Amino acid sequence: MSNQLQVKPIHILLADDDEDDRYLTREAFHQHFPVSKMSFVEDGEELMEFLSFSGRYANAGHNLPELILLDLNMPRKDGREALREIKASDQLRHIPVVVLTTSDAKDDIETSYYNGANSFITKPSTFQRLSEVTKAIGQYWFNVVTICEHEVEGK
């Protein structure tokens, strides 16, 4: 029996400054959801450029993601600030944001939910556990909930 789960394609945007974490998360998702597309940014400023089709993403020809996985601790603009901007934007607030970070601090958890995070997950310490977590994230966001279809003006 295959580990792969049949799902509709979904575009996931992972915002994480750690190259190893990006690679491992991509591999873990690909195990279970090979038809899904993953895009990557390395900090909060790049995340906001991606989402606003500006800067290096002005002519990139991409679509908004259906799900954002957000690390909190990134350079230039951290995930906390980016989360507040996403949820304050009429064009972006519909996108579910799952905080996926090394932090398990009570303040980070409370602040993330207060600022509009849809889930808060502390990054697992092993690839096996990361695979289990990504499978659960995917099953929930790809198969259980209905994702908001939202057109971006001017796109």
Short mmCIF file of all heavy atoms in Angstrom, two decimals, residues 91-140:
data_model
loop_
_atom_site.label_atom_id
_atom_site.label_comp_id
_atom_site.label_asym_id
_atom_site.label_seq_id
_atom_site.Cartn_x
_atom_site.Cartn_y
_atom_site.Cartn_z
N GLN A 91 -7.05 41.34 0.84
CA GLN A 91 -6.71 40.44 -0.25
C GLN A 91 -6.08 39.13 0.23
O GLN A 91 -6.05 38.16 -0.53
CB GLN A 91 -5.74 41.11 -1.24
CG GLN A 91 -6.36 42.19 -2.10
CD GLN A 91 -6.60 43.48 -1.32
OE1 GLN A 91 -5.81 43.86 -0.46
NE2 GLN A 91 -7.69 44.14 -1.62
N LEU A 92 -5.59 39.09 1.46
CA LEU A 92 -4.84 37.92 1.93
C LEU A 92 -5.44 37.20 3.12
O LEU A 92 -5.11 36.04 3.36
CB LEU A 92 -3.40 38.35 2.29
CG LEU A 92 -2.60 39.03 1.18
CD1 LEU A 92 -1.27 39.52 1.73
CD2 LEU A 92 -2.41 38.09 0.00
N ARG A 93 -6.30 37.85 3.87
CA ARG A 93 -6.75 37.27 5.14
C ARG A 93 -7.46 35.94 5.01
O ARG A 93 -7.56 35.17 5.97
CB ARG A 93 -7.60 38.27 5.91
CG ARG A 93 -8.99 38.44 5.34
CD ARG A 93 -9.85 39.37 6.15
NE ARG A 93 -9.24 40.68 6.07
CZ ARG A 93 -9.64 41.73 6.75
NH1 ARG A 93 -10.65 41.64 7.55
NH2 ARG A 93 -9.05 42.88 6.62
N HIS A 94 -7.95 35.63 3.80
CA HIS A 94 -8.66 34.36 3.59
C HIS A 94 -7.72 33.16 3.55
O HIS A 94 -8.15 32.02 3.68
CB HIS A 94 -9.45 34.42 2.28
CG HIS A 94 -8.56 34.39 1.06
ND1 HIS A 94 -7.89 35.52 0.61
CD2 HIS A 94 -8.21 33.38 0.24
CE1 HIS A 94 -7.18 35.19 -0.46
NE2 HIS A 94 -7.35 33.90 -0.71
N ILE A 95 -6.41 33.40 3.36
CA ILE A 95 -5.46 32.29 3.25
C ILE A 95 -5.18 31.72 4.64
O ILE A 95 -4.75 32.44 5.54
CB ILE A 95 -4.13 32.76 2.61
CG1 ILE A 95 -4.38 33.40 1.25
CG2 ILE A 95 -3.15 31.58 2.50
CD1 ILE A 95 -3.15 34.08 0.65
N PRO A 96 -5.40 30.42 4.83
CA PRO A 96 -5.07 29.82 6.13
C PRO A 96 -3.57 29.87 6.38
O PRO A 96 -2.77 29.62 5.48
CB PRO A 96 -5.53 28.37 5.99
CG PRO A 96 -6.37 28.31 4.77
CD PRO A 96 -6.00 29.46 3.90
N VAL A 97 -3.21 30.21 7.62
CA VAL A 97 -1.81 30.27 8.02
C VAL A 97 -1.60 29.29 9.18
O VAL A 97 -2.24 29.41 10.22
CB VAL A 97 -1.40 31.69 8.46
CG1 VAL A 97 0.05 31.69 8.93
CG2 VAL A 97 -1.60 32.69 7.32
N VAL A 98 -0.70 28.34 8.94
CA VAL A 98 -0.31 27.39 9.97
C VAL A 98 1.09 27.79 10.42
O VAL A 98 2.03 27.78 9.62
CB VAL A 98 -0.30 25.94 9.44
CG1 VAL A 98 0.26 24.98 10.48
CG2 VAL A 98 -1.71 25.52 9.00
N VAL A 99 1.21 28.19 11.67
CA VAL A 99 2.52 28.51 12.22
C VAL A 99 3.23 27.17 12.47
O VAL A 99 2.70 26.30 13.16
CB VAL A 99 2.41 29.34 13.51
CG1 VAL A 99 3.77 29.50 14.17
CG2 VAL A 99 1.78 30.69 13.21
N LEU A 100 4.40 27.02 11.85
CA LEU A 100 5.22 25.81 11.99
C LEU A 100 6.61 26.30 12.41
O LEU A 100 7.38 26.79 11.58
CB LEU A 100 5.26 25.05 10.67
CG LEU A 100 6.03 23.73 10.65
CD1 LEU A 100 5.39 22.72 11.61
CD2 LEU A 100 6.06 23.16 9.24
N THR A 101 6.90 26.20 13.69
CA THR A 101 8.08 26.86 14.24
C THR A 101 8.72 26.02 15.33
O THR A 101 8.08 25.10 15.85
CB THR A 101 7.67 28.25 14.80
OG1 THR A 101 8.83 28.98 15.14
CG2 THR A 101 6.73 28.13 15.98
N THR A 102 9.96 26.32 15.67
CA THR A 102 10.63 25.59 16.75
C THR A 102 10.12 26.01 18.12
O THR A 102 10.29 25.29 19.09
CB THR A 102 12.16 25.82 16.69
OG1 THR A 102 12.41 27.22 16.72
CG2 THR A 102 12.75 25.19 15.45
N SER A 103 9.50 27.16 18.19
CA SER A 103 9.05 27.69 19.48
C SER A 103 7.88 26.88 20.05
O SER A 103 6.99 26.45 19.33
CB SER A 103 8.61 29.15 19.33
OG SER A 103 8.06 29.61 20.55
N ASP A 104 7.91 26.71 21.35
CA ASP A 104 6.74 26.20 22.05
C ASP A 104 6.39 27.13 23.21
O ASP A 104 5.70 26.76 24.15
CB ASP A 104 6.95 24.76 22.53
CG ASP A 104 8.10 24.62 23.54
OD1 ASP A 104 8.76 25.63 23.85
OD2 ASP A 104 8.33 23.49 24.00
N ALA A 105 6.86 28.37 23.09
CA ALA A 105 6.63 29.37 24.14
C ALA A 105 5.16 29.76 24.19
O ALA A 105 4.53 30.01 23.15
CB ALA A 105 7.49 30.61 23.89
N LYS A 106 4.61 29.82 25.39
CA LYS A 106 3.21 30.18 25.58
C LYS A 106 2.87 31.51 24.92
O LYS A 106 1.84 31.65 24.28
CB LYS A 106 2.89 30.22 27.07
CG LYS A 106 1.44 30.51 27.37
CD LYS A 106 1.17 30.54 28.87
CE LYS A 106 -0.28 30.88 29.10
NZ LYS A 106 -0.56 31.17 30.49
N ASP A 107 3.76 32.50 25.05
CA ASP A 107 3.53 33.82 24.44
C ASP A 107 3.43 33.73 22.93
O ASP A 107 2.59 34.39 22.31
CB ASP A 107 4.64 34.80 24.81
CG ASP A 107 4.53 35.30 26.24
OD1 ASP A 107 3.51 35.05 26.90
OD2 ASP A 107 5.49 35.95 26.71
N ASP A 108 4.31 32.92 22.29
CA ASP A 108 4.25 32.76 20.84
C ASP A 108 2.95 32.09 20.41
O ASP A 108 2.34 32.47 19.40
CB ASP A 108 5.44 31.96 20.32
CG ASP A 108 6.71 32.78 20.25
OD1 ASP A 108 6.63 34.03 20.19
OD2 ASP A 108 7.80 32.17 20.25
N ILE A 109 2.51 31.11 21.16
CA ILE A 109 1.26 30.40 20.83
C ILE A 109 0.08 31.37 20.93
O ILE A 109 -0.71 31.51 19.99
CB ILE A 109 1.07 29.18 21.75
CG1 ILE A 109 2.19 28.16 21.51
CG2 ILE A 109 -0.31 28.56 21.54
CD1 ILE A 109 2.27 27.08 22.58
N GLU A 110 -0.03 32.05 22.07
CA GLU A 110 -1.14 32.98 22.29
C GLU A 110 -1.14 34.12 21.27
O GLU A 110 -2.18 34.47 20.70
CB GLU A 110 -1.10 33.53 23.72
CG GLU A 110 -1.45 32.51 24.76
CD GLU A 110 -1.30 33.02 26.19
OE1 GLU A 110 -0.84 34.17 26.39
OE2 GLU A 110 -1.62 32.25 27.11
N THR A 111 0.04 34.71 21.04
CA THR A 111 0.14 35.82 20.09
C THR A 111 -0.21 35.38 18.68
O THR A 111 -0.89 36.10 17.94
CB THR A 111 1.55 36.44 20.14
OG1 THR A 111 1.80 36.90 21.47
CG2 THR A 111 1.69 37.59 19.17
N SER A 112 0.23 34.20 18.30
CA SER A 112 -0.07 33.69 16.95
C SER A 112 -1.57 33.54 16.75
O SER A 112 -2.12 33.99 15.73
CB SER A 112 0.63 32.35 16.71
OG SER A 112 2.03 32.53 16.69
N TYR A 113 -2.24 32.94 17.70
CA TYR A 113 -3.70 32.79 17.57
C TYR A 113 -4.40 34.15 17.62
O TYR A 113 -5.33 34.40 16.86
CB TYR A 113 -4.26 31.84 18.63
CG TYR A 113 -4.03 30.39 18.29
CD1 TYR A 113 -3.26 29.58 19.09
CD2 TYR A 113 -4.59 29.82 17.14
CE1 TYR A 113 -3.04 28.24 18.79
CE2 TYR A 113 -4.38 28.49 16.82
CZ TYR A 113 -3.61 27.70 17.65
OH TYR A 113 -3.41 26.38 17.33
N TYR A 114 -3.95 35.00 18.50
CA TYR A 114 -4.54 36.34 18.61
C TYR A 114 -4.42 37.09 17.28
O TYR A 114 -5.32 37.82 16.88
CB TYR A 114 -3.85 37.12 19.73
CG TYR A 114 -4.36 38.54 19.86
CD1 TYR A 114 -5.54 38.80 20.55
CD2 TYR A 114 -3.66 39.60 19.29
CE1 TYR A 114 -6.02 40.10 20.66
CE2 TYR A 114 -4.13 40.89 19.39
CZ TYR A 114 -5.31 41.15 20.08
OH TYR A 114 -5.79 42.43 20.17
N ASN A 115 -3.29 36.91 16.59
CA ASN A 115 -3.06 37.60 15.33
C ASN A 115 -3.65 36.88 14.12
O ASN A 115 -3.43 37.33 12.99
CB ASN A 115 -1.57 37.85 15.12
CG ASN A 115 -1.05 38.92 16.05
OD1 ASN A 115 -1.74 39.90 16.33
ND2 ASN A 115 0.16 38.75 16.53
N GLY A 116 -4.38 35.79 14.33
CA GLY A 116 -5.11 35.17 13.24
C GLY A 116 -4.59 33.86 12.72
O GLY A 116 -5.10 33.35 11.70
N ALA A 117 -3.58 33.26 13.35
CA ALA A 117 -3.11 31.96 12.89
C ALA A 117 -4.24 30.95 12.97
O ALA A 117 -5.05 30.98 13.90
CB ALA A 117 -1.93 31.49 13.73
N ASN A 118 -4.29 30.06 11.99
CA ASN A 118 -5.32 29.02 11.99
C ASN A 118 -4.89 27.80 12.79
O ASN A 118 -5.74 27.05 13.26
CB ASN A 118 -5.65 28.62 10.55
CG ASN A 118 -6.21 29.79 9.78
OD1 ASN A 118 -5.48 30.56 9.18
ND2 ASN A 118 -7.52 29.96 9.83
N SER A 119 -3.60 27.61 12.93
CA SER A 119 -3.04 26.51 13.74
C SER A 119 -1.65 26.91 14.19
O SER A 119 -0.99 27.73 13.56
CB SER A 119 -2.94 25.21 12.92
OG SER A 119 -4.20 24.76 12.49
N PHE A 120 -1.18 26.27 15.25
CA PHE A 120 0.17 26.47 15.75
C PHE A 120 0.76 25.10 15.98
O PHE A 120 0.21 24.30 16.76
CB PHE A 120 0.17 27.28 17.05
CG PHE A 120 1.55 27.66 17.52
CD1 PHE A 120 2.01 28.95 17.31
CD2 PHE A 120 2.37 26.74 18.16
CE1 PHE A 120 3.29 29.32 17.74
CE2 PHE A 120 3.64 27.10 18.58
CZ PHE A 120 4.10 28.39 18.37
N ILE A 121 1.89 24.80 15.31
CA ILE A 121 2.54 23.50 15.45
C ILE A 121 4.01 23.73 15.74
O ILE A 121 4.69 24.47 15.01
CB ILE A 121 2.38 22.67 14.15
CG1 ILE A 121 0.89 22.43 13.86
CG2 ILE A 121 3.13 21.35 14.26
CD1 ILE A 121 0.61 21.84 12.49
N THR A 122 4.51 23.10 16.79
CA THR A 122 5.93 23.13 17.06
C THR A 122 6.60 22.10 16.16
O THR A 122 6.15 20.95 16.09
CB THR A 122 6.22 22.82 18.55
OG1 THR A 122 5.54 23.80 19.35
CG2 THR A 122 7.69 22.87 18.85
N LYS A 123 7.67 22.52 15.47
CA LYS A 123 8.36 21.63 14.52
C LYS A 123 8.83 20.37 15.24
O LYS A 123 9.46 20.44 16.29
CB LYS A 123 9.58 22.32 13.91
CG LYS A 123 9.27 23.38 12.90
CD LYS A 123 10.57 23.98 12.36
CE LYS A 123 10.30 25.16 11.47
NZ LYS A 123 11.55 25.82 11.05
N PRO A 124 8.53 19.25 14.64
CA PRO A 124 9.02 17.98 15.22
C PRO A 124 10.54 17.87 15.10
O PRO A 124 11.14 18.47 14.21
CB PRO A 124 8.34 16.91 14.35
CG PRO A 124 7.24 17.60 13.64
CD PRO A 124 7.65 19.03 13.51
N SER A 125 11.15 17.08 15.96
CA SER A 125 12.60 16.96 15.98
C SER A 125 13.12 15.83 15.10
O SER A 125 14.33 15.73 14.90
CB SER A 125 13.09 16.78 17.42
OG SER A 125 12.49 15.62 17.98
N THR A 126 12.24 14.96 14.59
CA THR A 126 12.68 13.88 13.71
C THR A 126 11.92 13.94 12.38
O THR A 126 10.80 14.46 12.32
CB THR A 126 12.43 12.49 14.33
OG1 THR A 126 11.01 12.27 14.42
CG2 THR A 126 13.07 12.38 15.72
N PHE A 127 12.54 13.40 11.34
CA PHE A 127 11.87 13.38 10.04
C PHE A 127 10.61 12.51 10.09
O PHE A 127 9.59 12.86 9.49
CB PHE A 127 12.80 12.89 8.92
CG PHE A 127 12.12 12.91 7.58
CD1 PHE A 127 11.95 14.11 6.90
CD2 PHE A 127 11.60 11.75 7.02
CE1 PHE A 127 11.28 14.15 5.68
CE2 PHE A 127 10.94 11.77 5.80
CZ PHE A 127 10.78 12.98 5.13
N GLN A 128 10.66 11.40 10.80
CA GLN A 128 9.49 10.52 10.91
C GLN A 128 8.30 11.28 11.49
O GLN A 128 7.20 11.22 10.98
CB GLN A 128 9.82 9.30 11.78
CG GLN A 128 8.63 8.38 12.03
CD GLN A 128 8.07 7.76 10.76
OE1 GLN A 128 8.81 7.47 9.83
NE2 GLN A 128 6.76 7.58 10.70
N ARG A 129 8.55 12.02 12.55
CA ARG A 129 7.46 12.80 13.18
C ARG A 129 7.02 13.93 12.26
O ARG A 129 5.83 14.22 12.16
CB ARG A 129 7.93 13.34 14.53
CG ARG A 129 6.86 14.07 15.29
CD ARG A 129 5.74 13.15 15.76
NE ARG A 129 4.73 13.97 16.40
CZ ARG A 129 3.46 14.03 16.04
NH1 ARG A 129 3.00 13.27 15.07
NH2 ARG A 129 2.63 14.83 16.66
N LEU A 130 7.97 14.60 11.55
CA LEU A 130 7.61 15.64 10.59
C LEU A 130 6.73 15.05 9.49
O LEU A 130 5.75 15.68 9.08
CB LEU A 130 8.86 16.27 9.98
CG LEU A 130 8.62 17.35 8.92
CD1 LEU A 130 7.88 18.54 9.50
CD2 LEU A 130 9.95 17.78 8.30
N SER A 131 7.04 13.85 9.04
CA SER A 131 6.22 13.19 8.02
C SER A 131 4.80 12.97 8.54
O SER A 131 3.82 13.19 7.82
CB SER A 131 6.87 11.86 7.62
OG SER A 131 6.07 11.19 6.67
N GLU A 132 4.67 12.53 9.77
CA GLU A 132 3.34 12.32 10.38
C GLU A 132 2.58 13.65 10.49
O GLU A 132 1.38 13.71 10.20
CB GLU A 132 3.49 11.69 11.77
CG GLU A 132 4.03 10.28 11.74
CD GLU A 132 4.45 9.78 13.12
OE1 GLU A 132 4.25 10.50 14.13
OE2 GLU A 132 5.01 8.66 13.18
N VAL A 133 3.28 14.70 10.89
CA VAL A 133 2.65 16.02 11.04
C VAL A 133 2.21 16.57 9.69
O VAL A 133 1.09 17.07 9.55
CB VAL A 133 3.59 17.01 11.77
CG1 VAL A 133 3.10 18.44 11.66
CG2 VAL A 133 3.73 16.61 13.23
N THR A 134 3.07 16.46 8.68
CA THR A 134 2.69 16.97 7.35
C THR A 134 1.53 16.16 6.78
O THR A 134 0.66 16.72 6.10
CB THR A 134 3.87 16.99 6.37
OG1 THR A 134 4.41 15.68 6.23
CG2 THR A 134 4.93 17.97 6.81
N LYS A 135 1.49 14.88 7.06
CA LYS A 135 0.36 14.06 6.60
C LYS A 135 -0.94 14.55 7.25
O LYS A 135 -1.95 14.70 6.57
CB LYS A 135 0.61 12.58 6.94
CG LYS A 135 -0.49 11.66 6.46
CD LYS A 135 -0.15 10.21 6.77
CE LYS A 135 -1.23 9.27 6.29
NZ LYS A 135 -0.90 7.87 6.61
N ALA A 136 -0.89 14.83 8.55
CA ALA A 136 -2.08 15.32 9.26
C ALA A 136 -2.49 16.70 8.74
O ALA A 136 -3.69 16.96 8.53
CB ALA A 136 -1.81 15.37 10.76
N ILE A 137 -1.51 17.60 8.53
CA ILE A 137 -1.82 18.92 7.98
C ILE A 137 -2.50 18.76 6.63
O ILE A 137 -3.53 19.37 6.35
CB ILE A 137 -0.53 19.78 7.84
CG1 ILE A 137 0.02 20.17 9.20
CG2 ILE A 137 -0.82 21.03 7.00
CD1 ILE A 137 1.42 20.79 9.13
N GLY A 138 -1.90 17.95 5.78
CA GLY A 138 -2.45 17.75 4.44
C GLY A 138 -3.82 17.13 4.44
O GLY A 138 -4.72 17.58 3.72
N GLN A 139 -4.02 16.10 5.24
CA GLN A 139 -5.34 15.48 5.29
C GLN A 139 -6.39 16.49 5.71
O GLN A 139 -7.47 16.54 5.14
CB GLN A 139 -5.34 14.28 6.25
CG GLN A 139 -4.64 13.09 5.68
CD GLN A 139 -4.60 11.93 6.65
OE1 GLN A 139 -4.36 12.09 7.85
NE2 GLN A 139 -4.82 10.74 6.12
N TYR A 140 -6.07 17.31 6.70
CA TYR A 140 -7.03 18.30 7.17
C TYR A 140 -7.28 19.38 6.12
O TYR A 140 -8.42 19.63 5.73
CB TYR A 140 -6.56 18.93 8.49
CG TYR A 140 -7.54 19.95 9.01
CD1 TYR A 140 -8.74 19.54 9.59
CD2 TYR A 140 -7.30 21.31 8.88
CE1 TYR A 140 -9.65 20.46 10.05
CE2 TYR A 140 -8.22 22.24 9.34
CZ TYR A 140 -9.39 21.82 9.92
OH TYR A 140 -10.31 22.73 10.35
#
